[in-house]
Amino acid sequence: MGYFKTALLMAAMTALFMGLGYLLGGSGGMLIALIFAGGMNVFTWWNSDRMVLRMYNARLVGSADRSGLAQLVAGLARNAGIPMPAVYIIEQPQPNAFATGRNPQNAAVAVTTGLMQSLSREELAGVIAHELAHIRNHDTAIMTVTATFAGAISMLANFALFFGGSRERMGILGTLAMMILAPLAAGLVQMAISRTREYAADRAGAQICGNPLWLASALERIEAGAARIDNMAAERNPATAHMFIINPLHGQGADNLFSTHPSTANRVAALRQMAGAAGQSAPRPAPRSATAPWGASASDKSSRGPWG
C-alpha cells in the first residue's frame, strides 16, 4: 500500500510539472517536462535520501560510536520489526530529527546534536521510535519524494513567472494564476500527507518505545527548543520541513490547512489519552552522564527500557 500511495503521489506531482511545462512551451514544453519528471522520479527514488542528508551535512555514526545512540536505535528497530537503519548526527543546536529512505531496507534516521543534548534517554527513545514508525509505514519514501518535487515545482513556477509562458493560451492573468496555484497545490499535498502521517507515527512510535508519555514529553521539549533556535539549513530548504518531527521553521504552530505539522498540543493530548487508556504514568527523568549527554549511560540497565 505504501508503494501504491507513493506512485499516486509521483503521478500527481508529474501532472503539475507537465502543466507548468505546457504553460512555458506548449505541447513541446509539456513533453520536455514529462521526460524531465520521469528522470526526476527515478533519480528521486534512488537518491533523494542521500540528497537530504547531504543538504544537512549529516554525519554517519560509525561502529566506534560511544554515545550509545546506535545501540538505542538497534534495540528500538528490533521492537519495530524492521532492519536497523543507518544512523546520522547533524551538527545543529535546534533539537529535531527526521527519517529518510525509499524503504525499510534502505533507510536512515538523523538526529541533531541539540536533540541529544536536551532530551533524556526515555524521551530520545520516543523520538527514535516515532521515526522508525515512519520507516515501517513507508512514509519516508513519500515524504522525501514530496520534498523534492515541491521544491522543483516551485523552482519551475518561478522560472515561468520571470521568463514567461504562452500569453496566447492563458493570458497574463491565467499565467500568473498558474504560477501561484501550481506550487501551492504541491505544498498542500505535501502538508496534508505530513499531518496525517505524523499522528499515525506518534501512535506507532508510542507502541514501539513502550510509553506514549516519553514521546509526549519529547515533543514539548523539541517545540520549545525549535521556537528559540534557528535551523538555517531548513530555512534555506523549506520544502524539507515536513520531514522533521517538529516543524523546524518559525511561525507555524497551528493545526490548519497551511501547516506542515499537526499542532503539538493536539499530538501531546492524543498521546496522553493513549497512555491513560493503558494506565501508564511518566517515568522519572534519567540522570545525565558524561558518557551519554542525552540521558543515562549505556551501562545503566535500569533506564534502558524495553528496547534492550
Side-chain angles (χ1 to χ4, degrees):
M1 193 62 181
Y3 292 116
F4 177 69
K5 290 179 180 178
T6 304
L8 284 180
L9 180 63
M10 284 182 162
M13 294 292 192
T14 300
L16 282 172
F17 220 71
M18 291 175 64
L20 284 172
Y22 179 78
L23 180 62
L24 279 169
S27 299
M30 186 170 64
L31 179 61
I32 293 173
L34 176 61
I35 295 172
F36 186 76
M40 180 177 288
N41 279 333
V42 174
F43 180 82
T44 299
W45 180 254
W46 290 102
N47 299 289
S48 56
D49 54 342
R50 290 188 287 273
M51 288 173 57
V52 173
L53 291 167
R54 193 178 304 116
M55 195 179 294
Y56 287 94
N57 294 317
R59 170 173 55 85
L60 180 65
V61 174
S63 57
D65 170 50
R66 299 183 60 186
S67 70
L69 178 62
Q71 179 189 17
L72 180 64
V73 174
L76 288 166
R78 287 194 298 271
N79 279 6
I82 61 174
M84 179 179 171
V87 182
Y88 287 82
I89 292 178
I90 301 171
E91 296 291 337
Q92 164 60 238
Q94 184 190 87
N96 230 315
F98 66 83
T100 185
R102 62 183 182 273
N103 54 40
Q105 291 73 37
N106 298 274
V109 171
V111 302
T112 66
T113 51
L115 187 80
M116 296 179 66
Q117 292 164 0
S118 60
L119 301 189
S120 71
R121 184 181 180 87
E122 291 86 357
E123 290 166 338
L124 183 59
V127 171
I128 297 297
H130 170 97
E131 299 305 333
L132 294 178
H134 276 310
I135 293 172
R136 188 174 69 182
N137 295 342
H138 294 266
D139 295 342
T140 50
I142 296 175
M143 294 163 72
T144 309
V145 165
T146 55
T148 305
F149 263 86
I153 288 172
S154 297
M155 180 184 68
L156 188 59
N158 289 333
F159 180 84
L161 180 63
F162 283 106
F163 294 97
S166 175
R167 303 292 192 269
E168 294 78 15
R169 275 187 295 277
M170 299 184 65
I172 185 65
L173 293 180
T175 300
L176 290 174
M178 187 65 177
M179 297 307 99
I180 296 170
L181 292 178
L184 178 61
L188 288 177
V189 171
Q190 181 186 28
M191 293 169 188
I193 286 172
S194 178
R195 291 197 305 273
T196 58
R197 292 179 182 278
E198 289 303 317
Y199 282 119
D202 284 347
R203 290 192 298 271
Q207 294 168 348
I208 292 169
C209 73
N211 193 326
L213 295 177
W214 296 350
L215 178 56
S217 177
L219 290 175
E220 291 176 326
R221 286 181 185 266
I222 296 170
E223 182 179 54
R228 291 184 292 102
I229 304 171
D230 289 327
N231 186 331
M232 298 313 298
E235 297 288 348
R236 290 192 298 269
N237 302 281
T240 64
H242 69 296
M243 297 177 63
F244 287 84
I245 189 170
I246 290 287
N247 189 354
L249 309 178
H250 289 165
Q252 291 206 31
D255 195 359
N256 57 47
L257 183 64
F258 298 99
S259 174
T260 59
H261 290 69
S263 163
T264 300
N266 290 348
R267 295 170 68 181
V268 169
L271 288 165
R272 286 178 176 161
Q273 184 178 18
M274 184 179 177
Q280 292 171 310
S281 59
R284 289 181 300 174
R288 298 284 175 176
S289 76
T291 304
W294 37 263
S297 66
S299 61
D300 184 1
K301 295 184 179 180
S302 63
S303 65
R304 284 190 180 183
W307 52 83

